Amino acid sequence: MIHIARTQKDLDQYLKAKTIGLSPTMGNLHQGHLELLRRSLEENELSIISIFVNPTQFAANEDLSSYPRTWEEDVAKITKLSQQYQKDVIIFFPENDEVIYPHGKQTTYSHQRLRAQLEGEVRPTHFDGVTTVCKRLFEMTKATNAYFGKKDYQQLTIIKEMVIDLNLRVNIHSIEIFREASGLAMSSRNNYLSDSDKKVALTLRKTLLQLASTLKQQGLSACREQRDKAIKNKQFNYISIRDALTMDEISSFEQDVVILGNFQVGSTRLLDNIVVEHTA
Ligand code: AMP
């Protein structure tokens, strides 16, 4: 069964379970989001999926007002999964922004090391919005476990470090990237793309796969050279080769590595990444 909570008081009546799994989303649910909820249903007594288009992670020039909102379809998808698992799911759908931010933006959390890099370079306030909303959601829902997608790799790394730094009592779980049949990473922002845009967008996945193969077979220098050539395609906002754990820049391939890319189709920025494991 599903239950809808619109305030903290609504939520509180359900928070007596031994294990609570939280899947934070902005709605417009696709299979990738539903994988988070599926894992939560498998691993927890009670699952909560939040649907909140978080204003603090959008800059003034971004798509906050046009971000796809598909409440009825989302509820239908969640209901189906809840029935499949025969377990209760709470949809936390705050009735207004004040439920999450009683004093507006007064108290924020920032991850200093990564907030201004990669995604943060063009979206300087984005990660402060993400960390702040996630900390609030963890506490409001008393989550034991929280589920995040590897598609947003920088976000995931930042959240994991925040949880350690602030000693939050929640376990962070990462979920593999769910892809369309073509290989394109699923994203709510794929809705902005036409079929021909989607074909162009596949350049991102193809390039990351090629770079991963070069890294494995020929090493870091060859991979960097290939990256430098690939990035001449102006649709790439960046391609970065980093330590998979810390997301620091690397000088040698002696640990697991993540190659992250951001590719622009029209005004839509698309994210993807690939992890290359280091085998001794
Ligand atoms: P969003 O609604 O876009 O903020 O995403 C909510 C959560 O779903 C985040 O943890 C995302 O990383 C995750 N997510 C989004 N797309 C995918 C995907 N294709 N595969 C796995 N997880 C995803």
Side-chain angles (χ1 to χ4, degrees), residues 24-26 30 32-33 36 148-149 151-152 176-178 186:
T25 81
M26 297 204 297
H30 53 63
H33 295 117
L36 311 187
F148 289 87
K151 185 177 78 72
D152 300 274
E176 291 304 324
I177 301 174
F178 206 90
M186 284 199 180

Side-chain angles (χ1 to χ4, degrees), residues 37-158:
L37 179 57
R38 197 182 287 283
R39 267 284 291 279
S40 171
L41 281 159
E42 280 166 9
E43 297 178 358
N44 298 277
E45 222 175 69
L46 177 72
S47 291
I48 302 177
I49 180 163
S50 58
I51 297 184
F52 179 58
V53 184
N54 174 34
T56 66
Q57 68 191 68
F58 288 77
N61 60 339
E62 291 180 350
D63 55 345
L64 174 62
S65 59
S66 60
Y67 194 85
R69 289 160 172 89
T70 51
W71 169 249
E72 274 156 30
E73 289 93 327
D74 291 353
V75 172
K77 288 173 187 167
I78 297 166
T79 306
K80 203 165 153 205
L81 212 53
S82 157
Q83 283 167 349
Q84 196 180 320
Y85 282 83
Q86 298 194 336
K87 277 183 157 179
D88 284 351
V89 176
I90 312 300
I91 307 179
F92 181 35
F93 180 51
E95 64 185 10
N96 54 41
D97 295 352
E98 288 71 39
V99 173
I100 306 287
Y101 301 116
H103 298 113
K105 276 197 195 179
Q106 295 304 325
T107 308
T108 59
Y109 293 88
S110 292
H111 184 282
Q112 293 305 319
R113 188 170 58 84
L114 290 172
R115 69 186 288 286
Q117 298 182 30
L118 301 176
E119 284 306 289
E121 219 171 293
V122 273
R123 308 181 74 192
T125 55
H126 173 68
F127 286 115
D128 293 353
V130 170
T131 41
T132 302
V133 78
C134 286
K135 183 171 187 297
R136 292 280 298 158
L137 288 171
F138 295 157
E139 281 161 356
M140 294 181 83
T141 61
K142 298 197 173 95
T144 325
N145 296 299
Y147 298 85
F148 289 87
K150 286 191 190 170
K151 185 177 78 72
D152 300 274
Y153 200 93
Q154 188 175 2
Q155 163 175 291
L156 176 63
T157 308
I158 287 175

Side-chain angles (χ1 to χ4, degrees), residues 202-258:
L202 276 176
T203 310
L204 173 57
R205 170 76 172 150
K206 281 189 203 141
T207 305
L208 294 178
L209 283 169
Q210 282 162 1
L211 289 170
S213 148
T214 304
L215 179 62
K216 270 193 273 192
Q217 285 161 24
Q218 299 171 49
L220 183 59
S221 302
C223 179
R224 282 214 174 107
E225 262 174 47
Q226 196 176 330
R227 186 266 317 267
D228 293 346
K229 279 187 201 142
I231 207 140
K232 291 201 173 111
N233 175 345
K234 294 287 174 233
Q235 282 181 278
F236 277 108
N237 291 312
Y238 60 77
I239 305 175
S240 189
I241 307 165
R242 300 209 169 201
D243 182 305
L245 186 66
T246 61
M247 282 191 69
D248 282 333
E249 303 267 9
I250 52 168
S251 52
S252 58
F253 179 30
E254 288 171 2
Q255 66 287 303
D256 293 352
V257 161
V258 59

